[in-house]
Amino acid sequence: MINSSLKQLSQHLANKQCSSVELTHTYLQRMAQLNPSINAYITIDAEKSLAQAKAADARIAAGQAGPLTGIPIAQKDIFCAQGWRTTCGSKMLETFISPYDAHVISQFDAAGAVNLGKTNMDEFAMGSSNETSYFGGVKNPWDLARVPGGSSGGSAAAVAARLCAADTGTDTGGSIRQPASLCGFTGLKPTYGLVSRYGMIAFASSLDQAGPMAKSAEDCALMLNVMAGFDERDSTSVNREKEDYTRGLPAMETTQPLKGLRIGLPKEYFAEGLNAEVAKVIETSIAEYKKLGAEMVEVSLPNNNLSIPVYYVLAPAEASSNLSRYDGVRYGHRAAEYDDLMDMYMKSRAEGFGAEVKRRILIGTYVLSAGYYDAYYLKAQQIRRLIAQDFAEAFKQCDVIMGPAAPSTAFKVGEKTSDPVAMYLEDLYTIAVNLAGLPGMSIPAGFANHAEGTPLPVGLQIIGNYFDEARMLNVAHAYQHVTDWHQHMPAGLENL
Ligand code: GLN
């Protein structure tokens, strides 16, 4: 059951093979068993989940079910959910109970999905390993000595360990795709503006975007159908007609379903910095795409090497502004003792934020300060435009771009914590996509066999043009139709 697709689960519910309450119990039991060692969830509230499941069963019985009605999913703890503790992985919000729902949450509620809980994450989504969470690191289900990636590490581990049927993440610089690569599942960051950011705790508003994390492209399409759509409460939400992202997915009758598709391979993605074992897996998956009829074209993204430095000016600049709201006055942590108002601000922030968040606030405040604004912030904005132009040029020659999603497989807990730059390099292939506002996804492409220990998952990244999610999902689905990497589960977790 736990390895079933969303469609199969929905069929089980429709045929009365099981009820949503039973299904929810199954997941809650797995969570009770596995969460203490994996730490994927920050907040679990069985009573709330079961009440939703009961309501879903009534809806199914009344013949009013949608494709996700009664399906147990999880939500990254960055989404405000009414009545649920919403922490964003920070001590600052340790006891914050949200008074309202994020758009994403209300969309899933309206669809009748069951919320199993709030998943662990790097503090304020700043990180690539989930080690900056105030609630402790998340372990990679493929090897508990390793990280799941970040910042959506809890959602990543929850999908990989089948502690939910699917879940949500957010991606500011790679936080859906890099953990998808490290944990071996399918994750999609949509075009900027496709999914409303209303009620999603802000990190870097011009980059943040929510997306689905699931076993397969088909499951991601079903999730995206619920998440995407115009919302007037987010000024960057794009008002365009709703699409059905599952359209065209089952049409795989021919052996070359991708005939005519031009896949761009950026030469900068296959250069220095890419682990040799990861490169091998990516090359094998590209060979598979050739068999499916696609044609390969070499493209170039000449400014890709500037994407990390540009991001680490712009994202902290936006974060320093966004995080100024945590002042100990309106909500969040307030220091127990202080002398005056200024002292209260300072102590509350000093106590409430962790080291990485403080580092970002300091960098952001610095690059925005009067004397440095032109030299750093403005310059970074200009290079951001060049990075977007690189993609526009590349898409003149190809329909989608492919390459690795992360430079290496899951690394050991603690391996990169003392070296922020090594951690920042994890997003070498993902950040430019956010800077350009494009959609990107990572799909399971195989396993790297390192000399030591267990084989670890590798993700293939697919980057599309603006609002081309349906095509990307199609391209991913064609691959998943002829391979079974997306169905593999971490050893020992299958038959619990
Ligand atoms: N790893 C990047 C960072 O630390 C991206 C995080 C994200 O996408 N939320 O900022």
Side-chain angles (χ1 to χ4, degrees):
M1 185 83 96
I2 48 150
N3 220 17
S4 308
S5 68
L6 295 183
K7 215 161 135 187
Q8 286 165 336
L9 288 177
S10 178
Q11 274 157 6
H12 290 327
L13 292 170
N15 302 338
K16 309 258 178 301
Q17 270 165 278
C18 68
S19 68
S20 174
V21 168
E22 283 163 354
L23 195 55
T24 303
H25 266 302
T26 305
Y27 281 106
L28 288 170
Q29 264 161 20
R30 268 182 88 76
M31 285 153 66
Q33 232 172 330
L34 293 173
N35 199 52
S37 53
I38 296 178
N39 201 22
Y41 285 87
I42 293 177
T43 304
I44 298 170
D45 187 333
E47 215 174 290
K48 274 201 180 64
S49 308
L50 288 166
Q52 279 188 313
K54 225 170 144 189
D57 280 331
R59 192 165 152 181
I60 295 167
Q64 287 160 357
L68 292 192
T69 307
I71 308 249
I73 61 163
Q75 301 286 355
K76 184 175 181 178
D77 204 16
I78 198 167
F79 295 103
C80 287
Q82 194 174 6
W84 284 84
R85 182 163 75 128
T86 300
T87 72
C88 216
S90 182
K91 177 179 179 184
M92 188 55 94
L93 294 173
E94 188 178 5
T95 57
F96 175 67
I97 309 282
S98 174
Y100 76 108
D101 280 330
H103 182 74
V104 164
I105 299 284
S106 47
Q107 290 295 101
F108 279 111
D109 281 353
V114 173
N115 183 7
L116 286 170
K118 308 293 293 293
T119 60
N120 205 341
M121 55 181 285
D122 278 299
E123 185 177 7
F124 285 103
M126 298 174 190
S128 297
S129 65
N130 219 111
E131 288 163 293
T132 73
S133 169
Y134 174 67
F135 300 90
V138 176
K139 303 297 182 299
N140 189 316
W142 294 92
D143 177 353
L144 297 182
R146 293 175 191 270
V147 302
S151 65
S152 313
S155 285
V159 175
R162 311 303 192 237
L163 299 180
C164 60
D167 58 23
T168 57
T170 61
D171 190 314
T172 304
S175 281
I176 289 177
R177 291 160 289 157
Q178 182 257 10
S181 182
L182 271 48
C183 287
F185 62 90
T186 309
L188 170 78
K189 180 206 95 75
T191 306
Y192 183 79
L194 189 69
V195 177
S196 167
R197 291 180 295 107
Y198 178 78
M200 186 175 113
I201 297 175
F203 162 14
S205 311
S206 77
L207 301 158
D208 298 342
Q209 187 59 201
M213 301 171 59
K215 293 189 281 285
S216 66
E218 183 189 64
D219 287 2
C220 279
L222 285 165
M223 295 281 285
L224 191 60
N225 275 353
V226 172
M227 299 173 80
F230 177 61
D231 173 24
E232 60 183 11
R233 298 169 300 182
D234 171 3
S235 63
T236 59
S237 170
V238 178
N239 195 351
R240 59 197 302 278
E241 225 172 282
K242 255 199 165 293
E243 285 182 54
D244 175 8
Y245 294 100
T246 63
R247 70 180 190 276
L249 287 189
M252 293 291 158
E253 295 99 9
T254 64
T255 50
Q256 292 214 310
L258 300 182
K259 202 160 179 57
L261 181 82
R262 297 166 306 160
I263 297 177
L265 304 174
K267 59 173 192 257
E268 293 78 7
Y269 281 20
F270 298 88
E272 204 198 324
L274 181 61
N275 172 286
E277 290 295 320
V278 172
K280 256 195 249 167
V281 173
I282 299 298
E283 277 154 25
T284 311
S285 61
I286 284 166
E288 194 66 54
Y289 268 105
K290 281 189 193 152
K291 283 196 228 155
L292 290 166
E295 173 198 327
M296 302 296 151
V297 214
E298 190 186 89
V299 295
S300 176
L301 301 170
N303 293 295
N304 190 61
N305 63 338
L306 295 176
S307 60
I308 293 182
V310 163
Y311 174 90
Y312 280 100
V313 171
L314 298 179
E318 295 185 26
S320 69
S321 164
N322 275 327
L323 271 58
S324 64
R325 74 190 68 179
Y326 306 104
D327 55 7
V329 177
R330 285 159 293 186
Y331 47 77
H333 178 76
R334 179 184 297 177
E337 282 169 40
Y338 44 85
D339 299 333
D340 54 21
L341 183 64
M342 189 53 80
D343 194 41
M344 191 276 287
Y345 288 152
M346 293 199 306
K347 284 209 175 103
S348 301
R349 288 169 69 81
E351 291 168 10
F353 290 137
E356 183 62 26
V357 173
K358 284 178 187 158
R359 180 172 13 241
R360 307 272 178 120
I361 294 174
L362 286 173
I363 296 171
T365 310
Y366 181 81
V367 299
L368 288 176
S369 57
Y372 297 105
Y373 185 87
D374 290 4
Y376 295 112
Y377 186 75
L378 220 59
K379 204 28 123 210
Q381 290 285 33
Q382 288 164 343
I383 301 170
R384 180 176 188 174
R385 169 59 64 92
L386 295 179
I387 288 169
Q389 276 169 3
D390 284 353
F391 280 108
E393 281 305 313
F395 280 122
K396 286 183 187 159
Q397 301 165 59
C398 62
D399 306 303
V400 293
I401 290 173
M402 280 187 192
S408 63
T409 49
F411 46 95
K412 293 234 169 79
V413 172
E415 196 178 317
K416 298 191 180 178
T417 37
S418 56
D419 183 352
V421 175
M423 193 70 90
Y424 296 171
L425 282 169
E426 271 299 297
D427 294 322
L428 185 58
Y429 309 119
T430 49
I431 275 183
V433 173
N434 301 73
L435 290 168
L438 291 165
M441 66 190 293
S442 174
I443 62 171
F447 293 83
N449 289 302
H450 298 291
E452 18 127 25
T454 18
L456 294 166
V458 172
L460 170 74
Q461 186 173 199
I462 305 173
I463 302 166
N465 215 334
Y466 299 106
F467 301 109
D468 218 3
E469 284 82 358
R471 191 209 301 255
M472 293 160 64
L473 287 160
N474 231 306
V475 167
H477 182 70
Y479 180 80
Q480 293 182 339
H481 197 68
V482 293
T483 61
D484 70 353
W485 302 119
H486 60 294
Q487 277 159 352
H488 286 236
M489 272 186 68
L493 302 187
E494 300 96 336
N495 301 318
L496 284 176

